[in-house]
Amino acid sequence: MALAEITARLRAAEAAAGRAPGSVTLIAVSKVQPAERVTAVLDQGHRVFGENYVQEAAAKWPAWRAQYPGVQLHMIGPLQTNKAKQAVDLFDAIHTLDRPSLAQKLANLQQSRGSLPQLFVQVNTGEEPQKAGVLPADLAPFLRDCRGMGLAPSGLMCIPPEDAESTPHFALLARMAADHGLANLSMGMSHDFESAVAQGATHIRVGSAIFGQRTYPQ
């Protein structure tokens, strides 16, 4: 019932924002979830999933892809440069392009393989020192450098501060995307995705509301 409930809430949020049904992609965040919970969602027909860790995704998704045609896999966690090659072979989209060294690595991989997953630039809208992401003031030169390397980011991603109202951060991200001609916005999670849809999200990342609370290994 959880997937059906979230989907119904998403359709209602789209309608309230005057957007077409299905115009927002629901990424089911399956990191650290037991296999039976993930396969239950796959069995209900959902095909777009998000993972935070390259090695975890590599251990489980190739077999599920073979069993469930049409799966799209999105990398939504920090990407280490030394895992970039494995990530571009595994994922359909990477939401966490956040620094020049990673941009250069991805540009090199694009030259050697001829293509890349869809790319989103992560923006640290709250300017939190402990959080990854390009600072808003640095976004324009970073995008210019990425494009100079031959990369073509399609959108922006943010994770608002935990203790802040999300909506201003979503509105800021939407303005920056519009300013730079980027069509996609990855923003909104279990607790605030309706607000994100109202501000123009094209991709929302929902985990615990679909699968239940995660139990992390001790």
Side-chain angles (χ1 to χ4, degrees), residues 102-185:
L102 180 57
Q104 186 62 65
K105 180 68 173 180
L106 291 170
N108 294 343
L109 287 165
Q110 179 172 253
Q111 286 189 343
S112 63
R113 65 199 300 278
S115 64
L116 282 180
Q118 183 181 24
L119 297 177
F120 293 74
V121 173
Q122 182 173 353
V123 181
N124 185 350
T125 56
E127 302 188 22
E128 299 172 273
Q130 80 281 10
K131 189 173 286 184
V134 179
L135 294 175
D138 297 333
L139 179 62
F142 182 71
L143 283 170
R144 184 173 62 246
D145 290 347
C146 285
R147 289 164 174 163
M149 298 176 194
L151 299 178
S154 71
L156 303 178
M157 182 271 245
C158 77
I159 305 171
E162 286 187 16
D163 56 353
E165 166 61 36
S166 298
T167 301
H169 294 270
F170 297 154
L172 172 61
L173 198 73
R175 288 197 301 272
M176 289 189 292
D179 287 346
H180 293 286
L182 300 172
N184 292 305
L185 289 166

